[in-house]
């Protein structure tokens, strides 16, 4: 009935990602940018589990950094089904852009 959410919602997620990202040096040096999709489970207690990066053929260091970002996040607000907190599989696209 209710999807899981980052504490503070999407308005808080983007600043969190911007503040905590460490652009990998190999990706920066080679001018690699792109979006890495990171699926993970949001458990009933809000913890994140089974965090992986989808195949990123451009630069694997971007995937490693995306997983690091997600695993370091605070607990999320869990998803609910019929009034009960449940585990939900969630996918988060993380966009890497050189400035």
């Amino acid at each position: 009935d209710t999807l899981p959410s980052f504490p503070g919602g999407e308005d808080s997620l983007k600043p969190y990602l911007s503040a905590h990202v460490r652009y990998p040096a190999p990706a920066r040096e080679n001018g690699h940018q792109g979006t890495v999709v990171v699926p993970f489970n949001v458990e009933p207690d809000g913890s994140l589990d089974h965090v992986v990066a989808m195949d990123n053929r451009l630069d694997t260091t971007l995937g490693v950094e995306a997983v690091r970002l997600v695993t370091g996040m605070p607990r999320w607000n869990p998803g609910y089904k019929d009034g009960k907190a449940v585990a939900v599989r969630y996918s988060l696209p993380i966009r890497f852009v050189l400035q």
Side-chain angles (χ1 to χ4, degrees), residues 30-64:
N30 291 307
H32 294 163
Q33 324 182 81
T35 301
V36 177
V37 177
V38 182
F40 53 92
N41 290 345
V42 179
E43 299 298 331
D45 66 357
S47 63
L48 307 182
D49 195 15
H50 297 95
V51 180
V52 296
M54 297 298 286
D55 183 29
N56 183 345
R57 295 179 186 158
L58 180 62
D59 192 312
T60 58
T61 62
L62 294 177
V64 171

Side-chain angles (χ1 to χ4, degrees), residues 54-93:
M54 297 298 286
D55 183 29
N56 183 345
R57 295 179 186 158
L58 180 62
D59 192 312
T60 58
T61 62
L62 294 177
V64 171
E65 175 59 9
V67 168
R68 187 197 67 80
L69 275 170
V70 172
T71 57
M73 287 181 172
R75 289 182 186 264
W76 281 42
N77 302 312
Y80 285 88
K81 178 75 174 164
D82 298 325
K84 182 179 178 183
V86 294
V88 177
R89 190 76 174 156
Y90 193 91
S91 290
L92 179 66

